[in-house]
Structure formats: C-alpha cells, structure tokens
Amino acid sequence: MNALALLPRRSDWKPALRSPGTDLVSGLIVALVALPLALGFGISSGLGAAAGLSTAVVAGAIAAVFGGSRFQVSGPTGAMTVVLVPIVGRHGASGVLTVGLLAGLVLVVLAFAGVGRAVRYMPAPVIEGFTAGIAVVIALQQVPSALQVAHAEGEKVWQSAFDAVGQYISHPHHLALATTLTVAAVVLAGGRYLPKLPFSLIAVATATLAAQVLDLDLTPIGTIPSELPAPTLGFVHFDQLGSLVAPALAVAALAALESLLSATAADAMAVGTRHNPDRELLGQGVANIAAPLFGGVPATGAIARTAVNVRSGARTRLSALTHAVVLAAIIYLAALLVAKIPLAALAGVLLATTVRMVETASLAAIARASRGDAVVMAITFGVTVALDLVTAVAVGVGIATVLALRSVAKEARLQQVPLEHDDSGHLAEEDDLRHDHIVAYRIDGPVFFAAAHRFLLELADVSDVRVVILRMSGITALDTTGALVLKDAIGKLEQRHITVLMSGLRQDHRRRLAAIGALPADGDAHIFAHTPEAIAHARGYTRSPAGQNI
C-alpha cells in the first residue's frame, strides 16, 4: 500500500477555502449538539466531564484532518464508555489513558496494513444486535444520575443500575428523575418535529437555568478546567503495559468498527461520496494517540454527531474541525457555566440518544428475514448487556459464521444423473448402460469440511455397479478436508473393484486432489474433459473381458 495515499492532501481543503460559510455554520450546530454528549460520556466513562471535552476537542480536530471521511465527527461515544468503565475499575484513570494510547498505535498499524476494508464483512445481525445492546447499556449507565444516587455498587452496569434503584426506593429523589425524563422528552419531541434546532443544548440550558434560579436540589457536574491541560506522558507506567494490551486491542477493535460504520453511514446520507477506510483508521489512530496526552478518553467516529453534520449541510472537513474549535472556545470561555449543569439533565440527553440509536424497523426486518439471523442478533444483544461489547461481537460473529457455513454446506449436493441428456431419443442406449452397471453422479456446490462427509456416506454405499462417473464441473470450492473425504470414498469404491472415472475436473481442483493422492487409481487414463468421453470409456470397459470378469 502507498503510505502517501493515507496522508492529508491540499485538495481536501480547497472547496472549504473557496466557500467556507456552510461548513462553519454546520460545525457550530454540531458543536452545540456535541457539548452535552461530550460531557455526559466523559462522566459515564469514569474520567469526568473534562476528559470528555478534551477528547471532543483534540480527537475531533485531529480526526477531521487525518481521517478518511470528510463528514466524520469524532469524540467520546456511548459504545466506548461501555468498554472503558471496567478498565477504569481495574486500572484507574492512568490505565484508561494508556489503553487509549496503545489503541491508537494499533489503529495506525491496521491502517497501513490495509485492514479498513474488512468492516464490510461484519454480519448485519451482529451490528444491529450490539447497537441495540449498547443503547440499553448506555441507558442503564444513566440510572444513578437520573435517580441522583452518588455511589451505586456493581461490577456490571446492570448491577449498578439495580443497586441505584434500590437506593432510590429507600431514599427517593423525585426531582432528579423528573428532570431526566423531562429533558429526554423535550430532546426526542424536538428532534422529531424541529430537527434543525439543537434541542439537547436548549433542554440542558433550561434545566441549568431553572436549577440556579429556583435553587433546586440537583447535583451539578462540578468544577472543570478552564483550559486544556498541557500534554504529558506521565500517565504511562511500564509495569502496567502487559496487563493493558488486551484492553487496548478491544478498544482498538471497537474504535475501528464504530468509526468505519459511522463513515459508511455518512456516505449513505451524502450523495456521491465515498470514504477511504484505511485513511479513516489512520485518522482515528492519530487522534487516539494524541487525546490521552491531554487527558482525553479513547475516541471513535460518532454516528449521531456525524449524521447531524451531514444534515446541517456540511460539505468538507472544515465542519468537523469547526466543531472542535467551538468546543475548545467553550472550555476557555464558559467553563464556569458548564460546571453548573445538573447531572440529571445530561442523563436525559443520553437517554434520548439511546432511543434514537435503536432502529426498530431494521431489527424487525432482520428478525423476519430468518430464524438464524434473529438468533444471532438476540444473542449479540444479550451478551452486550450482560457481559461486554467485545465478547458480544466475538460471540455474534462466531455464531453467524457457523450458521453461514451450515447454510453453504446445504448447497452441496451429490445426485445420480441420467447418462444421456435426451431420454426420448436414447432410451434403449440408457437401458444398455444401466444393464452394464454404469452410473454417474454430479457433485454440485462447495465440497469442504462442513459438508464433505455426506459424500463419503453416499458414494461408499453405491451397489450393483461396475463404473462410477463423477461429474466434477459443478464443484464451486474444494478444500483439503473435502479432497481427503473424496479420496476415502474413491478408495472404498476401488477396493470393491468399482472403477471410478472423473469428468469436468478444474485444474486447481485437480492439483489439490493429486497432491494428496485422491485421483482415481489409473490417474490421467480415468480423467476426462467431458462427460460423453467418460461414458464412452465406461461402455468400452464394461464390455471388455476385463470389465465383465469383475
């Protein structure tokens, strides 16, 4: 791969420089939408609101410049917080920052290795299952804030949510819950009827103003820095690196998957565009290397913010870059105001986000498509909620692969076929061939490990024949297991003095069969280009003295 093709080019920015107005406006709109999300996901990750803002600014700016999509908006996301929470619990804040740095390095390696195109092979039921699961997990993460419970116990998100509910029942705080539900309702209703207005920001600002004016008992975010911290590598502890490799690989896999899916969605929304998947991985890699230096959590492309960017009229990367600059200005100019935002209000915004994440029409369509797809989607969803996202993807892809192999294996067929194509004109000759105990079998489809053993059973059981003709032209794939099974079947037939002929054998299949000794005993003498030639040879053989004596 040409490494220079992955680097930023001057042509990326020429349209923006000629007419920047639309991109500047769309960048401002995206920043207003991203602000409460960055704060909320930063808090949900366990590193705090400041970490969420730092991620949105640093990763958002770098990914806009180096990424492979001109519409992608990057920052902290709900899916990533799901993975980060257990890392915070085991390794602390420094562990999360180190994981982000390592994940960034992995993404850069994947970019230069050309892995970006692999996302197209991710099964749709797996994607829909873990997307719905992520939505539920994010919603469960908001339960403590929505109920104003400061310390909820539980290793898993659903456990801490249940603990928060228990504490709420003992000491209810109805105002916080009412605030969360009101903000969520406003965001959802506003997004449906007036989608161009930043209702998430409007609802949060209104809740903050009401809390201050009416002196409501709502827990605020608390103090956040009024500037980005100086970059540092002080969080790296070399004695931790060994235990952080596996989490880093999980974070890198999620960052790659979510970013590429988001970029693909942006292509679908914007006519005539196509992202560069490997360059997108490079952009996310560089962004995740830089974000931890400023105290930021791992970042990915954000589907919700990217969609807002496209729908707001963005044309170039300038929009995503503007979004990061506006958020940086908010940090420097409005940190004191941001610190007063009630946590319950942010929880409402994130709850609304989870509702928007779930495409019920897609879920219903996949569930109707086939029972196997429904099972894959349901299991992926369940594992995402009960365990973690990476395990869910691995389990979902594994089950989908097994079901796909099972489906492909069913396409492989072995069937006895007439030796003459025109039955009306060759009935007498056909009867003669049957009398001579000549049969032909046509093998269709893939002959591989998941299907091949059926051929051994069917072929080895043929009886009252002297010659078996195997028509091989319909084989679409042949692996070593299939070749070995075929070898066993031919060996069993020849042990019973049944001659095996082959016709229509492809050269690549012939080489594989020859390599493991799976061709008929007489080799080339029993392999024919066309079936009529094999029939003629079989007729001559059975009517010869040698054939009649068998």
Side-chain angles (χ1 to χ4, degrees):
M1 174 179 292
N2 183 6
L4 295 178
L6 301 181
L7 298 178
R9 295 183 291 271
R10 183 178 299 178
S11 60
D12 295 338
W13 300 93
K14 284 185 178 179
L17 296 176
R18 285 197 299 266
S19 180
T22 303
D23 288 314
L24 293 174
V25 172
S26 60
L28 175 61
I29 294 172
V30 175
L32 297 179
V33 172
L35 176 61
L37 295 176
L39 294 170
F41 288 136
I43 294 169
S44 296
S45 71
L47 266 70
L53 282 176
S54 296
T55 304
V57 172
V58 177
I62 292 177
V65 174
F66 287 89
S69 169
R70 69 177 191 235
F71 300 115
Q72 183 87 284
V73 178
S74 299
T77 64
M80 187 60 75
T81 63
V82 173
V83 177
L84 296 181
V85 169
I87 299 176
V88 174
R90 294 189 187 99
H91 305 285
S94 63
V96 171
L97 299 179
T98 305
V99 163
L101 181 64
L102 294 175
L105 294 173
V106 171
L107 288 171
V108 171
V109 172
L110 294 178
F112 285 107
V115 177
R117 289 165 290 231
V119 72
R120 70 187 66 173
Y121 302 114
M122 180 65 64
V126 175
I127 294 173
E128 294 296 338
F130 78 67
T131 300
I134 288 169
V136 171
V137 172
I138 295 171
L140 292 174
Q141 285 178 336
Q142 309 318 309
V143 172
S145 294
L147 304 180
Q148 198 148 307
V149 173
H151 302 287
E153 301 294 332
E155 183 177 348
K156 300 296 182 182
V157 174
W158 58 269
Q159 293 172 328
S160 61
F162 278 116
D163 183 65
V165 171
Q167 294 187 44
Y168 175 79
I169 293 174
S170 301
H171 301 88
H173 195 287
H174 302 308
L175 180 60
L177 180 59
T179 301
T180 297
L181 295 178
T182 301
V183 169
V186 169
V187 172
L188 289 172
R192 177 166 184 169
Y193 297 108
L194 294 171
K196 292 188 177 181
L197 294 179
F199 272 93
S200 59
L201 184 67
I202 294 172
V204 169
T206 303
T208 304
L209 182 62
Q212 295 300 309
V213 172
L214 302 177
D215 194 24
L216 301 178
D217 181 19
L218 294 173
T219 303
I221 290 176
T223 304
I224 64 172
S226 59
E227 60 184 11
L228 289 174
T232 178
L233 280 171
F235 56 85
V236 177
H237 303 292
F238 290 99
D239 58 329
Q240 283 188 325
L241 292 182
S243 61
L244 295 177
V245 171
L249 293 175
V251 167
L254 175 59
L257 180 62
E258 190 172 12
S259 298
L260 293 174
L261 289 175
S262 176
T264 301
D267 289 346
M269 288 184 286
V271 178
T273 65
R274 188 176 181 85
H275 73 283
N276 182 327
D278 294 319
R279 184 177 171 186
E280 181 61 28
L281 289 185
L282 177 65
Q284 296 298 330
V286 176
N288 277 289
I289 291 172
L293 305 182
F294 295 88
V297 298
T300 75
I303 295 177
R305 277 155 275 180
T306 299
V308 171
N309 193 33
V310 175
R311 291 168 182 160
S312 299
R315 297 182 306 111
T316 72
R317 301 166 182 272
L318 179 61
S319 178
L321 182 61
T322 301
H323 133 272
V325 172
V326 171
L327 290 177
I330 291 173
I331 292 176
Y332 283 95
L333 301 177
L336 294 177
L337 294 177
V338 170
K340 297 177 181 179
I341 296 175
L343 291 175
L346 289 181
V349 172
L350 298 185
L351 282 178
T353 301
T354 64
V355 174
R356 290 173 171 175
M357 285 176 64
V358 180
E359 295 286 346
T360 54
S362 296
L363 295 176
I366 290 175
R368 289 194 303 267
S370 74
R371 183 178 299 176
D373 287 344
V375 169
V376 170
M377 184 170 64
I379 291 176
T380 305
F381 169 83
V383 177
T384 300
V385 176
L387 298 178
D388 60 77
L389 180 63
V390 176
T391 302
V393 172
V395 171
V397 171
I399 296 174
T401 301
V402 171
L403 292 177
L405 289 174
R406 181 170 174 266
S407 177
V408 171
K410 288 182 178 179
E411 297 297 318
R413 296 184 303 276
L414 175 72
Q415 56 183 331
Q416 186 175 345
V417 295
L419 292 171
E420 299 294 339
H421 295 292
D422 186 357
D423 289 341
S424 62
H426 299 279
L427 288 176
E429 188 172 11
E430 185 72 21
D431 288 339
D432 289 340
L433 291 168
R434 293 194 187 101
H435 182 267
D436 289 336
H437 305 287
I438 300 170
V439 296
Y441 287 93
R442 184 175 66 225
I443 303 176
D444 293 319
V447 181
F448 68 122
F449 68 92
H453 288 84
R454 289 191 293 116
F455 297 106
L456 174 60
L457 296 175
E458 294 183 42
L459 273 178
D461 286 343
V462 298
S463 60
D464 196 28
V465 298
R466 296 177 182 175
V467 179
V468 171
I469 300 172
L470 298 179
R471 298 176 59 178
M472 311 285 282
S473 59
I475 296 178
T476 57
L478 176 68
D479 72 353
T480 301
T481 303
L484 288 170
V485 171
L486 198 57
K487 175 185 177 181
D488 289 342
I490 293 172
K492 289 179 181 295
L493 291 172
E494 290 177 341
Q495 285 176 3
R496 294 163 52 199
H497 305 291
I498 298 173
T499 300
V500 179
L501 309 180
M502 289 184 177
S503 67
L505 185 61
R506 282 170 32 181
Q507 285 300 317
D508 56 333
H509 295 167
R510 180 169 181 164
R511 284 193 297 270
R512 173 159 289 177
L513 292 173
I516 62 173
L519 293 175
D522 287 348
D524 292 345
H526 284 177
I527 299 176
F528 302 89
H530 306 287
T531 302
E533 298 172 5
I535 295 172
H537 181 89
R539 183 187 295 114
Y541 175 77
T542 57
R543 293 177 180 178
S544 68
Q548 291 176 351
N549 291 332
I550 294 176

